[in-house]
Amino acid sequence: MLNLFSIFDPSTKIFSLNWISSLIGLFIIPQMYWLMSSRILFLMINFMLILWMEFKIILKNKFNMNNLLFYISLFLFIMMNNFMGLFPYIFTSSSHLIYSLGLSLPMWLGLMMFGWIKNTNFMFVHLVPQGTPFILMFFMVLIESLSNIIRPFTLSIRLTANMIAGHLLLTLLSSFIPNFFLFYLIVLILQLMLLILEISVSLIQSYVFVILMILYLKETNYDKI
C-alpha cells in the first residue's frame, strides 16, 4: 500500500528537483514569436479565445481585460500541470496540497483584503443574503463567514483529490497483470478508458478552479477594480 503512494512522494528535502516538472508544460505551449504559424498554434489561439468569451460572459458588464489575461494564464498553467502528470516518469505537482493551496490561498487573501478594505459595507451586506428572516441573521453571518474562510481549502482539496484518485486507479490497474490474455486485454481497455477520463478531468478541474476564482472576484464588487 505504501508503494502505491510513492508516486506522489516529492522527497523529504527542503527543495526537490521534482517540482521543476511544473515548468515542462511551458516548452509545449507554442510561442508565437519562436515558431511559424502552425496547427497547434491555431488551436491554442482559438482555445484561448473561447476561454476569453466564456470568462467575459461570467463577468457580464463588470469586465477588466487585465484580470482575464491573468485567469487564462492560470487556467493554462494548471491544465498543463494536470496533463503532464499523465505521462510516465513525470512528477505530478498538482496532486499535492502544497501546490494547489499555494495557488488558491494567496489569491483568496488578496481578494478578501481588497473587499474588506475598499468595499467594507458591501462585504458586510454579503454576509446576510437578501430576504433572510431577522431571527436567522446571526446564524447566516456565521455560516457565510465560515463558507468564506474554507473557500481556499475547498478549491485546493478538490483539485488534489481528483488528481490523486485518477492516478491511484491507473496505478492499481497497471499493477494487476493477469495471466490470461483476455483479462489482459480487458485491463488494457480499462486503462485506456481511464486515461481518456483523466485527460478530461485535468481539463475540467482547471476550468472549475479558475471559474470559482472569477466568481469570488465578482463577489468583491468587481466594478471598482
Side-chain angles (χ1 to χ4, degrees):
M1 185 59 69
L2 292 176
N3 291 332
L4 289 177
F5 291 92
S6 64
I7 58 175
F8 304 107
D9 185 16
S11 182
T12 56
K13 300 177 183 178
I14 297 176
F15 179 77
S16 176
L17 294 178
N18 290 333
W19 294 104
I20 301 180
S21 64
S22 300
L23 304 177
I24 296 178
L26 298 178
F27 296 99
I28 298 178
I29 298 177
Q31 302 295 324
M32 186 179 299
Y33 300 105
W34 295 355
L35 301 175
M36 296 180 63
S37 181
S38 60
R39 292 181 180 179
I40 187 172
L41 183 62
F42 177 77
L43 180 64
M44 187 65 68
I45 292 175
N46 286 337
F47 184 62
M48 287 190 290
L49 286 177
I50 293 172
L51 289 176
W52 179 281
M53 297 305 298
E54 187 72 20
F55 296 160
K56 185 178 179 181
I57 291 173
I58 296 174
L59 293 174
K60 294 183 180 178
N61 297 325
K62 302 176 181 180
F63 173 65
N64 190 313
M65 182 178 63
N66 297 328
N67 289 325
L68 278 191
L69 289 175
F70 169 76
Y71 282 113
I72 291 175
S73 303
L74 178 65
F75 173 85
L76 293 176
F77 181 72
I78 298 176
M79 183 191 70
M80 292 306 297
N81 279 296
N82 295 343
F83 182 70
M84 293 304 296
L86 299 175
F87 290 92
Y89 304 108
I90 295 182
F91 178 71
T92 311
S93 57
S94 57
S95 62
H96 289 77
L97 194 60
I98 189 173
Y99 167 88
S100 53
L101 195 61
L103 290 176
S104 61
L105 190 58
M107 288 189 287
W108 175 82
L109 283 175
L111 292 179
M112 287 297 103
M113 290 176 62
F114 170 79
W116 286 104
I117 293 174
K118 295 292 185 179
N119 305 316
T120 308
N121 295 332
F122 181 79
M123 296 298 288
F124 273 119
V125 170
H126 249 289
L127 294 178
V128 181
Q130 189 176 5
T132 305
F134 179 77
I135 302 176
L136 299 178
M137 284 184 179
F138 303 100
F139 298 101
M140 291 304 298
V141 170
L142 293 176
I143 293 172
E144 290 293 327
S145 300
L146 182 62
S147 66
N148 284 332
I149 292 173
I150 65 174
R151 278 177 176 178
F153 303 101
T154 55
L155 276 176
S156 56
I157 292 172
R158 181 187 295 110
L159 176 61
T160 304
N162 280 280
M163 298 310 297
I164 287 179
H167 282 68
L168 280 180
L169 283 175
L170 289 173
T171 307
L172 283 171
L173 282 177
S174 62
S175 62
F176 177 70
I177 304 177
N179 295 325
F180 193 56
F181 176 75
L182 182 60
F183 290 160
Y184 179 79
L185 187 61
I186 293 174
V187 171
L188 181 62
I189 293 174
L190 287 176
Q191 272 200 317
L192 289 176
M193 292 174 64
L194 272 177
L195 189 61
I196 296 174
L197 178 64
E198 278 300 294
I199 293 174
S200 61
V201 167
S202 64
L203 178 65
I204 292 171
Q205 287 305 313
S206 54
Y207 178 78
V208 170
F209 189 95
V210 175
I211 284 293
L212 288 177
M213 287 305 303
I214 292 177
L215 291 177
Y216 298 159
L217 174 64
K218 189 178 177 181
E219 289 182 2
T220 58
N221 203 355
Y222 187 80
D223 55 346
K224 291 187 178 182
I225 298 180

